């Protein structure tokens, strides 16, 4: 097994999967390839994520293996994992192997390119290069100078996503075949029902039956070819799947009808009185195909989150070069470029503002509707909207390194993941089809041999109905479509969830542990009180304190200076400053010397406190830090500061407690300060004085008591604790460390998002359970009914056509129920907005 730094990961777009059995077959087939460490196939997304050792197997080998298993595969993205950047680009104009070698040589001739591999069949070039010396413009130039077309980066959001292109092509094919199938099926149905349509009786049966046979044949073998090809693939691998059920059922009706037409005496049926089931076979194929089309469209809607995220990225940027403004494609930008953005325009790519101030709508990243004020030195992100002022900024990240690209990658990864609850469904589906075929055969034998008067025809219809109604598509769609919808909704609400496993664990959380600084609190101290000695004004106290602290970079000093500025108090000119290590600061001005610092400093200096030292203790007991201020050894008073709780912290703690979740605080701060904040917020359990490296161990101790723990922190110094927790939740701006360490990343610095994350998990898991219940309940009920168990008591039998309709509706219900999650989530968010108002 390869080590982490040798591991690579590729994403394959797969078409041709028809049911959960395909998922199991593909996963097992990929895992059997030497060098493959892990393979996760998503039926709903039509994709596979494969982790492998690049020294033993390549992405192209994996795609070839999938094709060998009978499916279509396109490699849609890789992460080299070896310090180099791996890029897949589309190349136009290649016609032969000589073209391939020509493009490869041109790319490998670019300084910094380590390897180039061109595939004629897919018209794609995979380039591995050092991003520090090579940019996209150089790769584009190498291709175009050789006489070929550069058609964009595969997975670059300015171009077509291969998965979406496959889906669109499949949908067009389904529509074309469905229209053809519906027209012929209606004609076949009319021709099979002479009693309902008297004009049909004028056509002799010797002509009518061959006509029905001729019309039915293309419906089965062209309109429904995917079912028979899928069944053949499964048969070659000595397995059975959903296609097997449809193929065996429809072929049974078709072959029986063909034999009746050609050799009526085989079943002792006179030709004039014999009834054929060409109409049933044709209508089953058409109805199942209709269900497949509706599924494909619904699954496409489930992946809307990716397309909507892609659409956020602008295509053109206005770059300042050589004193002029030029419009260039966004993919041509490189780090260091200076970009101009006018009011109302989208910010093309990530960077840092160098001139101008503005307000930026970052709701696409954070879910927060209020614009964020930006000024020189602030970060801006591609896809956000510049609302008020024109700014110029320097590009810092391009391509897959941008925040939007990282979010898209995370959502794609999440949507391709599996929740643990799905593994149960996968195991059931793997043995489901053989069991169903056994039940269908048993039902046939019972009806043929044991039911008086039933005969071969009735037994055959029972056999076909059991096969058709039992197709397990609903089982395969129950979990992945709900996960796709749930993670997509989270992305647009500023809640990034790693995938199905994280969703399921979040649903089970019973204990939430908060870091204090920057999570429950604002993360920086601010002045809360200014207590003066007799005869001293507050503005005089603040002026003296700000003057003494003006040159200090200590957080307390910065907070005091900021408070003075907010009251339009200007510090005095300072001629000399002396830092008193660990105690405070001494400054000299034209108006005398100033002293600012701790009570210990003032005790050592022998300054009369006038009783203020005792008063200050009350503020310390409330978790505040006290800074005393004196001028010429005369005490002016003291200033109290505290890292204040965020406005929403108390409400969030109370809401979690209302839901029966234990809330704890884990902090490196001293116990007195931590306890004071905890009392204020209603947190009952406090673990204080903990070093960052000790936090993970403290969480482990909590987990050993049987708790399912979520850790909420800032995602940087809390990274080990986030990994240790059952669910790690990173607050704030979604840094690289946060995204990598956490199961859930909250893109806005607002604690209410943690409640949203738990609600989304709960709603998604409820939807998954509803889907699985319906899928299992439907099959558990439908198969016995189709087998005829209700016939002795109620006279109820299902025709194969009704069974096909019920099977298709089962899958549509599951997908529709998953999409309903959108409406439920929107109602939840509207209620939250109304309550906030």
């Amino acid at each position: 097994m390869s080590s982490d730094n040798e591991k690579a990961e590729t994403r394959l777009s797969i078409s041709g999967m028809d049911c959960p059995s395909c998922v199991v077959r593909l996963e097992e087939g990929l895992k059997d390839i030497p060098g493959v460490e892990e393979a996760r196939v998503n039926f709903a997304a039509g994709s596979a994520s494969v982790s492998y050792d690049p020294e033993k197997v390549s992405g192209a080998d994996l795609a070839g293996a999938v094709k060998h298993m009978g499916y279509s595969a396109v490699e849609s993205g890789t992460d080299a994992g070896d310090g180099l950047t791996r890029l897949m680009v589309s190349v136009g104009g290649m016609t032969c192997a000589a073209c391939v070698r020509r493009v490869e040589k041109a790319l490998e001739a670019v300084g910094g390119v380590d390897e180039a591999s061109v595939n004629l069949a897919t018209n794609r070039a995979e380039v591995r290069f050092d991003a520090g010396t090579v940019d996209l413009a150089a790769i584009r130039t190498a291709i175009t100078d050789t006489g070929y077309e550069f058609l964009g980066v595969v997975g670059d959001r300015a171009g077509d996503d291969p998965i979406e292109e496959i889906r669109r092509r499949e949908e067009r094919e389904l529509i074309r075949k469905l229209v053809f199938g519906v027209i012929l099926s209606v004609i076949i149905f009319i021709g099979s029902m002479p009693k309902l349509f008297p004009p049909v009786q004028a056509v002799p049966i010797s002509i009518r039956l061959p006509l029905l046979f001729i019309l039915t044949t293309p419906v089965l073998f062209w309109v429904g070819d995917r079912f028979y090809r899928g069944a053949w693939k499964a048969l070659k691998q000595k397995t059975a799947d959903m296609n097997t059920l449809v193929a065996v059922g429809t072929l049974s009706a078709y072959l029986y009808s063909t034999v009746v037409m050609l050799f009526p005496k085989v079943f002792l049926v006179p030709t004039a009185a014999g009834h054929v089931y060409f109409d049933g076979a044709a209508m089953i194929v058409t109805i199942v195909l209709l269900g497949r089309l509706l599924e494909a469209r619904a699954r496409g809607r489930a992946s809307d989150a990716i397309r909507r995220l892609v659409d956020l990225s602008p295509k053109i940027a206005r770059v300042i070069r050589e004193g002029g403004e030029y419009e260039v494609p966004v993919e041509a930008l490189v780090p260091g470029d200076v970009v101009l953005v006018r009011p109302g325009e989208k910010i093309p790519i990530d960077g840092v503002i160098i001139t101008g101030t503005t307000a930026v709508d970052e709701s696409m990243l954070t879910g927060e509707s209020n614009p964020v004020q930006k000024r020189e030195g602030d970060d801006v992100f591609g896809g956000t909207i510049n609302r008020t002022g024109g700014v110029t900024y320097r590009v810092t990240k391009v391509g897959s390194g941008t925040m939007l690209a990282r979010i898209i990658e995370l959502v794609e990864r999440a949507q391709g993941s599996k929740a643990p609850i799905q593994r149960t469904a996968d195991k059931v589906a793997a043995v489901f089809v053989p069991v169903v075929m056994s039940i269908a055969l048993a039902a046939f034998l019972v009806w043929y041999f044991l039911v008086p008067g039933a005969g071969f025809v009735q037994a055959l219809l029972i056999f076909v109905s059991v096969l058709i109604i039992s197709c397990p598509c609903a089982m395969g769609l129950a979990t992945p479509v709900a996960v796709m919808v749930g993670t997509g909704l989270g992305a647009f609400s500023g809640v990034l969830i790693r995938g199905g496993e994280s969703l399921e664990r979040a649903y089970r959380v019973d204990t939430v542990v908060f870091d204090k600084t920057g999570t429950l609190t604002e993360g920086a101290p601010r002045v809360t009180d200014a207590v003066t000695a007799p005869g001293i004004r507050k503005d005089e106290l603040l002026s003296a304190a700000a003057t003494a602290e003006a040159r200090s970079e200590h957080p307390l000093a910065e907070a005091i200076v900021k408070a003075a500025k907010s009251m339009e108090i200007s510090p005095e000119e300072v001629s000399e400053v002396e830092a008193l290590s660990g105690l405070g600061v001494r400054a000299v001005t034209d108006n005398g010397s100033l002293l600012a610092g701790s009570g210990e400093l003032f005790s050592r200096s022998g300054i009369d406190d006038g009783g203020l030292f005792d008063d200050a203790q009350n503020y310390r007991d409330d978790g505040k830090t006290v800074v005393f201020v004196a001028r010429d050894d005369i005490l002016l008073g003291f200033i109290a500061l505290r890292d204040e709780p965020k406005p929403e912290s108390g409400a969030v703690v109370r809401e979690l407690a209302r839901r029966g979740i234990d809330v704890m605080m884990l902090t490196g701060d001293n116990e007195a300060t931590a306890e004071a904040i905890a009392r204020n917020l209603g947190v009952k359990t406090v673990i204080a004085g903990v070093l960052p490296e000790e936090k993970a161990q403290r969480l482990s101790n909590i987990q050993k008591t049987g708790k399912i723990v979520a850790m909420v922190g800032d995602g940087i110094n809390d990274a080990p604790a986030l990994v240790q927790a059952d669910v790690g939740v990173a607050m704030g701006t979604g840094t690289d460390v946060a995204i990598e360490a956490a199961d859930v990343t909250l893109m806005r610095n607002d604690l209410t998002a943690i409640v949203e994350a738990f609600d989304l998990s709960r709603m998604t898991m409820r939807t998954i359970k509803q889907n699985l219940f319906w899928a299992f309940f439907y099959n558990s009920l439908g198969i016995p009914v189709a087998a005829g168990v209700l016939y002795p008591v109620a006279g109820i039998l299902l025709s194969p056509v009704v069974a096909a309709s019920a099977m298709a509706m089962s899958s549509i219900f599951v997908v529709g129920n998953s999409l309903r999650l959108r409406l439920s989530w929107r109602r939840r968010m509207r209620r939250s907005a109304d309550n906030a108002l």
Side-chain angles (χ1 to χ4, degrees), residues 783-795:
I783 292 173
V785 172
V789 296
L790 296 181
Y791 183 75
V793 294

Side-chain angles (χ1 to χ4, degrees), residues 361-655:
D361 179 355
E362 294 185 341
S363 58
M364 50 75 69
L365 285 178
T366 66
E368 174 57 58
S369 58
N370 294 325
V372 180
Q373 294 299 315
K374 299 283 185 177
R375 57 182 57 84
E376 182 180 338
D378 287 343
D379 292 325
V380 290
F381 303 102
T384 58
I385 301 173
N386 181 34
R387 288 296 187 194
T388 57
V391 296
T392 59
Y393 71 92
R394 181 171 289 105
V395 174
T396 56
K397 294 181 180 178
V398 297
S400 60
T402 65
M403 181 64 72
L404 182 58
R406 291 296 305 277
I407 291 175
I408 292 172
E409 179 188 358
L410 186 66
V411 175
E412 285 178 333
R413 192 189 310 164
Q415 292 191 339
S417 68
K418 289 184 178 182
I421 195 172
Q422 184 183 348
R423 304 190 191 284
T424 302
D426 288 347
K427 291 177 182 177
V428 172
V431 299
F432 185 78
V433 173
V435 170
V436 166
M437 295 190 72
S438 300
I439 293 173
L441 181 60
F444 172 85
L445 295 175
V446 168
W447 277 85
Y448 184 63
F449 290 108
L450 301 180
V451 178
F456 178 83
V457 174
Q458 187 60 58
L460 178 65
L461 293 178
I462 294 292
F463 175 77
V464 173
S465 294
V466 171
L467 291 179
I468 297 300
I469 202 168
S470 60
C471 290
C473 284
M475 291 185 195
L477 294 169
T479 298
V481 177
V483 170
M484 289 173 72
V485 174
T487 53
L489 289 171
F492 276 90
S493 301
V495 179
L496 299 184
I497 301 171
R498 269 192 178 272
E501 190 170 352
S502 299
L503 270 172
E504 186 168 336
R505 286 203 304 263
Y507 167 76
R508 297 166 50 229
V509 163
D510 56 22
T511 303
V512 176
V513 179
F514 287 99
D515 175 50
K516 182 182 76 69
T517 305
T519 303
L520 287 173
T521 66
E522 298 286 0
R526 68 181 182 87
V527 174
T528 59
D529 306 274
V531 180
T532 62
I536 304 298
R537 302 188 313 274
K538 285 190 177 181
D539 62 334
E540 184 180 352
L541 172 63
L542 274 171
S543 175
T547 299
E549 302 282 13
R551 297 186 184 180
S552 173
E553 296 180 355
H554 192 282
L556 295 177
E558 292 176 354
I560 290 171
V561 172
K562 183 178 179 180
K565 284 184 179 179
S566 69
M567 298 177 62
E568 299 183 351
I569 297 173
S570 300
E572 304 169 36
E573 289 293 330
V574 176
S575 59
E576 183 182 336
V577 176
E578 179 188 2
L580 306 173
S581 179
L583 297 174
V585 64
R586 187 187 304 277
V588 178
T589 71
D590 292 341
N591 297 319
S593 65
L594 296 172
L595 190 66
S598 65
E600 183 181 352
L601 171 63
F602 277 68
S603 297
R604 290 183 183 182
S605 302
I607 296 175
D608 182 15
D609 66 287
L612 287 180
F613 284 5
D614 292 335
D615 294 342
Q617 187 58 44
N618 296 327
Y619 292 88
R620 292 193 186 96
D621 292 341
D622 198 27
K624 297 178 181 180
T625 301
V626 174
V627 175
F628 293 92
V629 183
R631 184 188 296 274
D632 294 331
D633 294 335
I634 298 175
L635 185 64
L636 303 180
F638 64 82
I639 294 173
L641 305 94
R642 184 170 67 178
D643 180 10
E644 288 289 273
K646 293 177 181 177
E648 73 277 7
S649 294
V652 169
V653 169
R654 289 191 296 273
E655 177 61 24

Side-chain angles (χ1 to χ4, degrees), residues 729-770:
V729 183
M731 290 290 300
T733 57
T735 61
D736 289 348
V737 175
I739 291 176
E740 293 303 322
D743 299 292
V744 179
T745 302
L746 309 180
M747 298 301 293
R748 64 182 190 270
N749 199 23
D750 180 353
L751 269 184
T752 57
I754 185 66
V755 179
E756 292 174 14
F758 288 142
D759 281 352
L760 183 60
S761 169
R762 175 179 53 81
M763 294 167 70
T764 304
M765 288 304 302
R766 182 175 62 196
T767 300
I768 289 173
K769 289 181 177 181
Q770 290 170 346

